[in-house]
Amino acid sequence: MAKKIIIAGGGTGGHIFPAIAIANALKRKDNTTEILFAGAKGKMEMEKVPQAGYAIKGLDIAGFNRSSLIKNIGLPFKLIKSFLQVRKIVNEFKPDGVIGVGGYSSFPVLRYAQQKRIATFIHEANSFAGKTNILLGKRATRIFTGSDGMEKFFPAEKIRVTGNPVREAIVNSSISREEALLSFGLNPGKKTILVTGGSLGARSINEAIAAHIADFEKSNLQLIWQTGKLFTEQARQLARGKENIWTNDFINRMENAFAAADVVISRSGAMSVAELCVAKQAVIFVPFPFAAEDHQTANADRLAKKQAALVVKDSEAKTVLAAKAMALALNDAEQEQLKSNIAALAVTNADDVIAKEVLEAI
């Protein structure tokens, strides 16, 4: 009889793409497995999951808004409604197991599943576990982690250190640098910098690039610039008439962007780090300083200590980042050292390991 699994969570690419990678691995292991996603209405999983070929149920749920307390007035009602929606989804689908990948939509699904004594699994990508996962971890069947040393957050006997699942398209990418650059309409003969603040963008990185936009052209450098939605129009105005810049709010084929780039500027969320290790890229990380427990700084510093990446503080991005990126783009020897060191940290089979453990446990 086919096994049924719900995968819950999302909000950002760092949660969604690993979830899809796990779903694909589950289908590879047993193509009779039925998979249903659950995510937050209005978030990017509602678009990306169907594009990957999976069904998804939307929940009326939102996280706590720290910047505007008045926006949290309706939060208790949304939580109650989401739990009612989860109860309906779980009781109708009747899963054998539920996997939580992070994001606030994972909590009600895993919590209800645990109440129903359904096997639950957590994937914790970061080196500092989120409070929700810590709470859920006490009753979870298994906890998959991106790094070791997680016993301070979870019961040691439940932990499996798997690394973080990376998109299959990135793991198996074979596109050449020339082909990749042509796909962005850029010149294969020029050094190229990929700029990405993640799927939702990064204000400090975008402002740093915008402030020095003319300097890249003067240095004969090209940009592939993923801005996130809030900076899209401003970036397009700056790029108008400049043949050395490709810009958009989102890059659908990140494997092409990685293949095209000589240097990457990126946030240092766990999934960005995992993908860049697999892509063997020369990276400058700009950690988001307000991430929980400042885990992005910890992620970036771990690589910097191994000479596998450079780091620029978020507060210094506007004055330091562009110059550092241009210098690295013009220094082939430093690029090669960084690429060699970061490649040694790559994990390419985390999704298969997780899928195997889940299927065996249920």
Side-chain angles (χ1 to χ4, degrees), residues 7-16 19 38-40 43-45 101-106:
I7 302 179
T12 67
H15 293 138
I16 298 161
K43 296 297 182 180
M44 65 184 297
E45 56 262 32
V101 295
Y104 43 75
S105 58
S106 67

Side-chain angles (χ1 to χ4, degrees), residues 133-155:
N133 279 350
I134 293 171
L135 185 63
L136 293 167
K138 295 172 183 177
R139 297 175 63 183
T141 306
R142 197 88 78 247
I143 300 153
F144 306 109
T145 66
S147 57
D148 55 13
M150 299 298 283
E151 294 81 5
K152 56 184 175 285
F153 303 111
F154 302 115

Side-chain angles (χ1 to χ4, degrees), residues 56-74:
I56 184 168
K57 296 287 188 179
L59 305 177
D60 291 292
I61 189 169
F64 185 79
N65 193 312
R66 291 177 174 82
S67 62
S68 177
L69 295 179
I70 198 168
K71 291 182 179 179
N72 296 305
I73 291 173

